[in-house]
Amino acid sequence: TPTWGEMNGWPAFKQNVNADGITSAAIATVIVDVTGRFSVEWAGMPMVAGAGTDMLLSQLDSAGGWSFVWNGTTGLFTLSLYDNAGALARSISTPAGSAVIGQSTHVVIESRTGGTAGSAWVRGIPVTATLAGAGVAANISNATPIVTGAGVGVAMSFLARASSETADHERVTALYQQARVLLGGDA
């Protein structure tokens, strides 16, 4: 039962309770290649922390894919890549405390070469990206829906997207400045 909320007068997807999310009605083929280079971007506000993670955006099935979450316990954002058996292969996380309850945030995480390398930015500033895992990332095997907002925790999402474009510092700075303008202050 998600609804629409407002951030600086603009519409935003608002979760109202835990596990309050949306699964796309249409299925999609692979939207980004997890074995190569891709990034996820999110602008919004963590609102209520749960004991665990809250899905910001994902495309996964039992044979691979990826998920992008925020963790209400640790306050970090994580991009996870899954192997061809659907198990966690690699992850790239921002530092603990990056997701602050009640504060507008803009975050970008980039994965390179199947999660063996990566970068992260919070509010346009490069932060230490923690890489974990030793598995081999795999793309989804079948067309599958895109999901946002499932899990434990509540957030208001102004922007959630995945892209195969390079997320270098210049591009992320421009994305952050635009998010800042739209959200009416430090995002």
Side-chain angles (χ1 to χ4, degrees):
T1 57
T3 58
W4 289 102
E6 259 186 43
M7 294 186 77
N8 195 34
W10 292 95
F13 168 71
K14 180 182 177 193
Q15 295 170 258
N16 294 298
V17 294
N18 291 348
D20 193 17
I22 293 177
T23 299
S24 65
I27 57 174
T29 57
V30 174
I31 60 173
V32 291
D33 179 4
V34 300
T35 65
R37 183 178 204 151
F38 78 102
S39 62
V40 290
E41 177 187 11
W42 182 78
M45 181 187 305
M47 294 171 50
V48 178
T53 60
D54 188 48
M55 187 74 64
L56 298 173
L57 191 62
S58 72
Q59 186 181 34
L60 53 96
D61 65 11
S62 61
W66 56 275
S67 66
F68 180 41
V69 302
W70 75 277
N71 188 309
T73 305
T74 60
L76 50 78
F77 294 96
T78 301
L79 172 60
S80 299
L81 288 72
Y82 298 88
D83 66 18
N84 61 6
L88 180 63
R90 303 272 180 168
S91 67
I92 304 166
S93 299
T94 63
S98 299
V100 179
I101 302 300
Q103 184 176 30
S104 296
T105 304
H106 178 261
V107 61
V108 175
I109 299 178
E110 181 182 64
S111 171
R112 295 185 297 277
T113 56
T116 61
S119 302
W121 295 262
V122 177
R123 293 178 195 86
I125 300 169
V127 296
T128 302
T130 301
L131 280 65
V136 177
N139 287 309
I140 57 172
S141 59
N142 298 299
T144 186
I146 309 301
V147 176
T148 186
V152 179
V154 176
M156 189 173 314
S157 296
F158 179 74
L159 169 72
R161 67 179 172 178
S163 173
S164 57
E165 294 182 27
T166 301
D168 59 22
H169 187 64
E170 182 179 354
R171 178 173 168 72
V172 173
T173 299
L175 292 170
Y176 167 66
Q177 291 302 328
Q178 289 306 303
R180 217 173 144 226
V181 168
L182 290 170
L183 295 177
D186 262 344

